[in-house]
Amino acid sequence: MILPKLRVLKSHGSQYIPDLNAVELTEEFRGRPELREGGDAEALQAAADLCPTGAITTAPFTLDLGRCLFCGECARRAPQSIRFTNDYHIASPTREGLVVRPGQQAIPFDEKAIRPEVRKYFKEALKLREVCAGGDASVEMELNASGNVNFDFGRFGVEFTASPRHADGTVITGPISQNMAEALDISHAAVAEPKVLMVCGSEAISGGLFAESRAVERSFLERHHVDLWIPGTPTHPMTFIDGVMNLLGRKKRA
């Protein structure tokens, strides 16, 4: 009985990632985009018109990762102007940091934007309560994966908890629907001070495809300070891990 299981285990090899700082994702992964000036203006305008969330502006030329669905259609329509790299280091402590401009080679991580109490109290251990505020479970599944046997984010003391009363902060996913607005308020209020707030996924950051819907109620983000903005549709576990590690001061973005 045990021999077949041992054979399967051996065939799978080691799934554990020993060094999360050395991870390089496949070339097919769509991460940080690179923008170039001087391409086909008509193709770029067509790409901007095609974008369902208005993530691209042409004057000035920018791409907002907080709105981007990472579908890649803009890069196919205007390849001279837009190219997606496999760089997953795209979380930012400021909303403005998610706006990519031509010639930019990295997403900045503004150390000055980080509140001192975040690293003072949570650098060695951080427990988070994830609130799915109308999401489709895609981002939620990726956040769960950050703690699996591959990534094992818990080795750094970062884990999700079932109750906000046991948490140090909140991670919001989903566009924040009206049905979840009050529940989100109640959950975040139950987290003791000082606490952190993270917004994960393009839907949570900007509303995504549902930004103009009457079914969303996003005033929560106007009333609370966000410590970390983590883009993606869905967000890759390494994007989440890298962003949190930078926020806590456990690493610095090169």
Side-chain angles (χ1 to χ4, degrees):
M1 295 291 292
I2 190 78
L3 288 178
K5 295 180 181 179
L6 290 175
R7 292 193 189 98
V8 171
L9 183 62
K10 184 179 180 180
S11 69
H12 284 178
S14 176
Q15 296 176 282
Y16 172 72
I17 302 172
D19 184 3
L20 291 177
N21 293 326
V23 173
E24 184 174 347
L25 300 183
T26 174
E27 290 295 327
E28 285 72 28
F29 174 75
R30 285 192 287 270
R32 176 182 56 83
E34 290 183 344
L35 309 185
R36 304 184 189 90
E37 295 275 21
D40 187 334
E42 291 187 6
L44 178 58
Q45 186 60 57
D49 294 339
L50 181 68
C51 182
T53 59
I56 302 170
T57 62
T58 57
F61 182 19
T62 64
L63 195 158
D64 185 353
L65 294 183
R67 295 175 178 267
C68 183
L69 300 180
F70 293 85
C71 64
E73 288 299 322
C74 58
R76 284 185 280 270
R77 186 62 64 94
Q80 295 179 358
S81 302
I82 304 171
R83 182 181 78 90
F84 282 89
T85 72
N86 65 342
D87 182 6
Y88 57 83
H89 308 83
I90 55 177
S92 171
T94 66
R95 179 66 180 87
E96 295 76 17
L98 298 182
V99 179
V100 181
R101 294 172 172 81
Q104 187 173 326
Q105 297 298 311
I107 300 301
F109 201 92
D110 187 359
E111 296 282 330
K112 296 179 181 179
I114 301 172
R115 295 180 294 132
E117 54 266 35
V118 172
R119 292 178 175 176
K120 178 179 180 180
Y121 294 107
F122 307 125
K123 185 173 184 178
E124 301 301 327
L126 178 66
K127 308 303 178 185
L128 297 168
R129 172 64 172 135
E130 189 270 324
V131 178
C132 178
D136 62 2
S138 60
V139 176
E140 295 80 0
M141 291 176 66
E142 297 298 300
L143 292 181
N144 287 340
S146 69
N148 68 16
V149 67
N150 302 89
F151 302 101
D152 187 24
F153 200 20
R155 74 182 107 161
F156 295 100
V158 181
E159 297 174 317
F160 290 98
T161 184
S163 169
R165 297 190 182 280
H166 300 159
D168 303 310
T170 302
V171 180
I172 304 173
T173 60
I176 311 182
S177 64
Q178 289 191 16
N179 288 342
M180 281 299 298
E182 183 179 4
L184 174 60
D185 262 322
I186 294 172
S187 178
H188 189 62
V191 180
E193 295 283 358
K195 53 191 170 186
V196 299
L197 178 62
M198 304 179 190
V199 179
C200 192
S202 299
E203 286 184 356
I205 294 173
S206 65
L209 289 170
F210 310 100
E212 304 301 323
S213 172
R214 294 175 295 174
V216 300
E217 207 291 279
R218 297 176 52 79
S219 64
F220 178 92
L221 296 179
E222 300 171 3
R223 293 181 276 108
H224 297 276
H225 172 77
V226 176
D227 294 290
L228 189 63
W229 303 86
I230 315 171
T233 312
T235 302
H236 193 280
M238 283 307 306
T239 300
F240 174 71
I241 290 170
D242 174 75
V244 174
M245 292 285 279
N246 278 277
L247 178 69
L248 300 180
R250 303 288 291 272
K251 63 179 289 190
K252 285 192 176 182
R253 185 170 298 166

